[in-house]
Amino acid sequence: MSDLLESVRPAAEVLAAFEAATGFMPVDEGLALYAAAVTAAQRTGLPLLEIGTYCGRSAVLLAAAAREAGTTALTVDHHRGSEEQQPGWEYHDPTLVDPEVGLMDTLPRFRRTLHAAGLEEHVVALVGRSPRIAALWGRPLALVFIDGGHTDEHATGDYEGWAPHLAPDGLLVVHDVFPDPADGGQAPYRVFLRALAEGFEEVSVTGSLRVLRRTAAS
Ligand code: SAH
Ligand code: MG
Protein backbone atom coordinates (compact mmCIF):
# COMPACT_ATOMS: atom_id res chain seq x y z
CA MET A 1 0.00 0.00 0.00
CA SER A 2 1.12 3.54 -0.68
CA ASP A 3 3.05 5.44 1.97
CA LEU A 4 0.53 8.23 1.47
CA LEU A 5 -1.87 6.09 3.50
CA GLU A 6 -1.61 5.22 7.16
CA SER A 7 -0.99 1.51 7.65
CA VAL A 8 -3.85 1.06 10.09
CA ARG A 9 -6.00 -2.04 10.46
CA PRO A 10 -9.50 -2.29 11.86
CA ALA A 11 -9.96 -3.94 15.27
CA ALA A 12 -10.63 -7.69 15.15
CA GLU A 13 -14.31 -7.28 16.04
CA VAL A 14 -14.80 -4.67 13.31
CA LEU A 15 -13.24 -6.98 10.75
CA ALA A 16 -15.44 -9.83 11.98
CA ALA A 17 -18.57 -7.67 11.59
CA PHE A 18 -17.47 -6.67 8.08
CA GLU A 19 -16.87 -10.29 7.10
CA ALA A 20 -20.25 -11.35 8.52
CA ALA A 21 -22.14 -8.60 6.64
CA THR A 22 -24.05 -9.16 3.40
CA GLY A 23 -22.38 -7.37 0.52
CA PHE A 24 -19.87 -7.08 -2.23
CA MET A 25 -16.41 -6.32 -0.91
CA PRO A 26 -13.49 -8.73 -0.37
CA VAL A 27 -11.34 -8.36 2.74
CA ASP A 28 -8.21 -6.99 1.02
CA GLU A 29 -10.23 -4.18 -0.55
CA GLY A 30 -11.94 -3.51 2.77
CA LEU A 31 -8.59 -3.11 4.50
CA ALA A 32 -7.50 -0.61 1.83
CA LEU A 33 -10.76 1.31 2.21
CA TYR A 34 -10.35 1.43 5.99
CA ALA A 35 -6.76 2.72 5.72
CA ALA A 36 -7.84 5.42 3.27
CA ALA A 37 -10.75 6.43 5.49
CA VAL A 38 -8.67 6.72 8.66
CA THR A 39 -5.98 8.66 6.79
CA ALA A 40 -8.43 11.11 5.23
CA ALA A 41 -10.47 11.62 8.40
CA GLN A 42 -7.42 12.15 10.59
CA ARG A 43 -5.84 14.57 8.13
CA THR A 44 -8.88 16.75 7.68
CA GLY A 45 -11.18 16.08 10.66
CA LEU A 46 -14.05 16.05 8.15
CA PRO A 47 -16.81 13.45 7.53
CA LEU A 48 -16.50 10.41 5.26
CA LEU A 49 -19.16 9.74 2.62
CA GLU A 50 -20.14 6.57 0.79
CA ILE A 51 -22.49 6.18 -2.17
CA GLY A 52 -23.90 2.63 -2.13
CA THR A 53 -24.78 1.49 1.39
CA TYR A 54 -26.55 -1.76 0.40
CA CYS A 55 -26.51 -3.86 3.63
CA GLY A 56 -23.72 -1.94 5.32
CA ARG A 57 -20.72 -4.14 4.60
CA SER A 58 -18.32 -1.35 3.63
CA ALA A 59 -20.18 1.09 5.90
CA VAL A 60 -19.00 -0.95 8.90
CA LEU A 61 -15.43 -0.02 8.00
CA LEU A 62 -16.21 3.64 7.31
CA ALA A 63 -18.09 3.89 10.61
CA ALA A 64 -15.15 2.30 12.46
CA ALA A 65 -12.75 4.71 10.75
CA ALA A 66 -14.99 7.63 11.71
CA ARG A 67 -15.04 6.45 15.34
CA GLU A 68 -11.24 6.14 15.25
CA ALA A 69 -10.81 9.67 13.92
CA GLY A 70 -13.62 11.35 15.89
CA THR A 71 -15.78 12.14 12.87
CA THR A 72 -18.91 10.75 11.18
CA ALA A 73 -19.51 8.41 8.25
CA LEU A 74 -22.38 9.28 5.92
CA THR A 75 -23.80 6.67 3.60
CA VAL A 76 -26.15 7.32 0.68
CA ASP A 77 -28.57 4.80 -0.89
CA HIS A 78 -32.21 4.72 -1.98
CA HIS A 79 -32.13 1.12 -0.69
CA ARG A 80 -34.11 -0.18 -3.68
CA GLY A 81 -31.07 -1.87 -5.25
CA SER A 82 -29.12 -1.37 -8.45
CA GLU A 83 -30.21 -2.73 -11.84
CA GLU A 84 -28.25 -5.97 -11.42
CA GLN A 85 -29.84 -6.60 -7.99
CA GLN A 86 -33.44 -6.61 -9.25
CA PRO A 87 -35.47 -9.86 -9.51
CA GLY A 88 -34.24 -12.00 -12.39
CA TRP A 89 -30.78 -10.40 -12.46
CA GLU A 90 -27.41 -11.87 -11.51
CA TYR A 91 -27.02 -10.25 -8.08
CA HIS A 92 -30.60 -10.53 -6.84
CA ASP A 93 -31.05 -11.68 -3.23
CA PRO A 94 -34.73 -12.59 -2.64
CA THR A 95 -34.30 -12.27 1.13
CA LEU A 96 -33.94 -8.50 0.60
CA VAL A 97 -37.39 -7.96 -0.92
CA ASP A 98 -39.99 -6.20 1.26
CA PRO A 99 -42.99 -8.54 0.83
CA GLU A 100 -45.48 -5.79 1.58
CA VAL A 101 -44.38 -3.43 -1.17
CA GLY A 102 -42.76 -6.03 -3.43
CA LEU A 103 -39.54 -4.03 -3.86
CA MET A 104 -36.00 -4.43 -2.60
CA ASP A 105 -35.38 -2.81 0.77
CA THR A 106 -31.84 -3.12 2.12
CA LEU A 107 -32.33 -0.56 4.90
CA PRO A 108 -33.40 -3.04 7.64
CA ARG A 109 -30.43 -5.32 6.97
CA PHE A 110 -28.10 -2.28 6.99
CA ARG A 111 -29.46 -1.20 10.37
CA ARG A 112 -29.04 -4.65 11.87
CA THR A 113 -25.47 -4.86 10.55
CA LEU A 114 -24.41 -1.56 12.07
CA HIS A 115 -26.21 -2.30 15.33
CA ALA A 116 -24.53 -5.70 15.65
CA ALA A 117 -21.15 -4.04 15.03
CA GLY A 118 -21.81 -1.50 17.79
CA LEU A 119 -21.23 1.30 15.29
CA GLU A 120 -24.68 2.90 14.87
CA GLU A 121 -23.55 6.08 16.64
CA HIS A 122 -20.85 6.74 14.06
CA VAL A 123 -22.88 6.53 10.87
CA VAL A 124 -25.70 8.60 9.36
CA ALA A 125 -27.79 6.97 6.65
CA LEU A 126 -29.01 9.28 3.90
CA VAL A 127 -31.90 7.52 2.15
CA GLY A 128 -32.55 8.79 -1.36
CA ARG A 129 -31.07 9.15 -4.81
CA SER A 130 -27.45 10.19 -4.87
CA PRO A 131 -27.75 13.20 -7.25
CA ARG A 132 -30.65 14.62 -5.25
CA ILE A 133 -28.75 14.46 -1.98
CA ALA A 134 -25.55 15.75 -3.61
CA ALA A 135 -27.45 18.77 -4.92
CA LEU A 136 -28.48 19.64 -1.35
CA TRP A 137 -25.06 19.03 0.16
CA GLY A 138 -22.92 22.00 1.20
CA ARG A 139 -20.01 20.82 3.32
CA PRO A 140 -16.47 19.65 2.59
CA LEU A 141 -15.74 15.94 2.93
CA ALA A 142 -12.60 14.01 3.85
CA LEU A 143 -13.36 11.07 1.58
CA VAL A 144 -15.87 10.15 -1.10
CA PHE A 145 -16.33 6.44 -1.77
CA ILE A 146 -18.16 5.71 -5.03
CA ASP A 147 -19.80 2.26 -4.89
CA GLY A 148 -23.33 2.95 -6.15
CA GLY A 149 -24.99 2.20 -9.49
CA HIS A 150 -22.80 0.79 -12.24
CA THR A 151 -24.32 2.43 -15.29
CA ASP A 152 -22.52 5.43 -16.81
CA GLU A 153 -25.45 7.62 -15.78
CA HIS A 154 -25.17 6.63 -12.12
CA ALA A 155 -21.39 6.42 -11.79
CA THR A 156 -20.92 9.76 -13.58
CA GLY A 157 -23.69 11.33 -11.51
CA ASP A 158 -21.97 10.19 -8.32
CA TYR A 159 -18.63 11.63 -9.43
CA GLU A 160 -20.09 14.92 -10.66
CA GLY A 161 -22.33 15.28 -7.63
CA TRP A 162 -19.85 14.44 -4.88
CA ALA A 163 -16.23 14.97 -6.04
CA PRO A 164 -16.67 18.79 -5.93
CA HIS A 165 -17.37 18.47 -2.18
CA LEU A 166 -14.00 16.84 -1.46
CA ALA A 167 -11.67 18.92 0.67
CA PRO A 168 -8.27 19.86 -0.77
CA ASP A 169 -6.10 16.77 -0.16
CA GLY A 170 -9.26 14.66 0.32
CA LEU A 171 -9.42 11.11 -1.00
CA LEU A 172 -11.65 9.77 -3.76
CA VAL A 173 -12.15 6.01 -3.66
CA VAL A 174 -13.77 4.17 -6.57
CA HIS A 175 -14.88 0.54 -6.36
CA ASP A 176 -15.32 -1.96 -9.22
CA VAL A 177 -12.68 -0.42 -11.47
CA PHE A 178 -11.97 -2.97 -14.21
CA PRO A 179 -9.59 -1.81 -16.96
CA ASP A 180 -10.29 -5.08 -18.85
CA PRO A 181 -13.94 -5.31 -19.98
CA ALA A 182 -13.70 -9.09 -19.54
CA ASP A 183 -13.52 -8.52 -15.76
CA GLY A 184 -16.56 -6.25 -15.39
CA GLY A 185 -18.50 -3.17 -16.47
CA GLN A 186 -16.58 -0.10 -17.55
CA ALA A 187 -18.49 2.80 -15.99
CA PRO A 188 -16.46 2.96 -12.74
CA TYR A 189 -13.25 2.64 -14.81
CA ARG A 190 -14.35 5.59 -16.94
CA VAL A 191 -14.97 7.61 -13.76
CA PHE A 192 -11.50 6.69 -12.54
CA LEU A 193 -9.93 7.82 -15.86
CA ARG A 194 -11.87 11.05 -15.76
CA ALA A 195 -10.70 11.78 -12.21
CA LEU A 196 -7.08 11.27 -13.33
CA ALA A 197 -7.64 13.57 -16.32
CA GLU A 198 -9.13 16.17 -13.99
CA GLY A 199 -6.06 16.27 -11.74
CA PHE A 200 -6.62 13.54 -9.15
CA GLU A 201 -3.58 11.35 -8.56
CA GLU A 202 -3.57 7.64 -7.85
CA VAL A 203 -2.56 6.65 -4.34
CA SER A 204 -3.22 2.90 -4.24
CA VAL A 205 -4.69 -0.04 -6.14
CA THR A 206 -6.14 -3.06 -4.31
CA GLY A 207 -8.15 -5.45 -6.47
CA SER A 208 -10.82 -3.26 -8.08
CA LEU A 209 -10.50 -0.55 -5.42
CA ARG A 210 -8.67 2.62 -6.45
CA VAL A 211 -7.72 5.38 -4.05
CA LEU A 212 -7.04 8.81 -5.54
CA ARG A 213 -6.02 12.06 -3.93
CA ARG A 214 -7.37 15.47 -4.77
CA THR A 215 -4.51 17.74 -5.81
CA ALA A 216 -4.33 21.48 -6.34
CA ALA A 217 -4.96 20.86 -10.05
CA SER A 218 -8.25 19.04 -9.49
N1 SAH B 1 -20.97 -0.82 -0.57
C1 SAH B 1 -21.80 -2.02 -0.58
C2 SAH B 1 -22.31 -2.40 -1.95
C3 SAH B 1 -23.12 -1.37 -2.67
S1 SAH B 1 -24.13 -2.06 -3.97
C4 SAH B 1 -21.05 -3.17 0.07
O1 SAH B 1 -19.98 -2.98 0.66
O2 SAH B 1 -21.52 -4.30 0.02
C5 SAH B 1 -24.74 -0.62 -4.76
C6 SAH B 1 -25.85 0.12 -4.02
O3 SAH B 1 -26.01 1.38 -4.68
C7 SAH B 1 -27.21 -0.56 -4.01
O4 SAH B 1 -27.64 -0.77 -2.69
C8 SAH B 1 -28.14 0.47 -4.74
O5 SAH B 1 -29.43 0.60 -4.15
C9 SAH B 1 -27.37 1.76 -4.61
N2 SAH B 1 -27.62 2.72 -5.67
C10 SAH B 1 -27.52 2.52 -7.01
N3 SAH B 1 -27.78 3.66 -7.67
C11 SAH B 1 -28.06 4.61 -6.73
C12 SAH B 1 -28.42 6.01 -6.79
N4 SAH B 1 -28.51 6.65 -7.94
N5 SAH B 1 -28.64 6.65 -5.62
C13 SAH B 1 -28.55 6.00 -4.44
N6 SAH B 1 -28.19 4.71 -4.33
C14 SAH B 1 -27.96 4.01 -5.46
MG1 MG C 1 -18.88 -2.38 -5.43
Side-chain angles (χ1 to χ4, degrees), residues 22-25 50-54 57-58 76-82 85 106 128-131 145 147-149 154 158:
T22 306
F24 303 104
M25 180 168 286
E50 163 178 79
I51 307 109
T53 316
Y54 194 59
R57 187 171 165 99
S58 46
V76 174
D77 203 309
H78 48 55
H79 287 280
R80 295 298 188 203
S82 297
Q85 295 159 357
T106 49
R129 296 195 170 274
S130 166
F145 174 44
D147 194 20
H154 288 128
D158 293 339

Side-chain angles (χ1 to χ4, degrees), residues 72-76 110 120-126:
T72 301
L74 302 144
T75 181
V76 174
F110 159 74
E120 270 185 311
E121 286 306 309
H122 305 280
V123 61
V124 171
L126 299 166

Side-chain angles (χ1 to χ4, degrees), residues 4-5 16 22 33 36 38 70 87 89 96 105 119-120 135-136 143 149 175 185 193 201 208 213:
L4 285 169
L5 297 182
T22 306
L33 176 65
V38 170
W89 292 81
L96 294 171
D105 185 0
L119 288 163
E120 270 185 311
L136 299 170
L143 174 140
H175 197 220
L193 292 178
E201 73 181 24
S208 75
R213 188 174 68 87

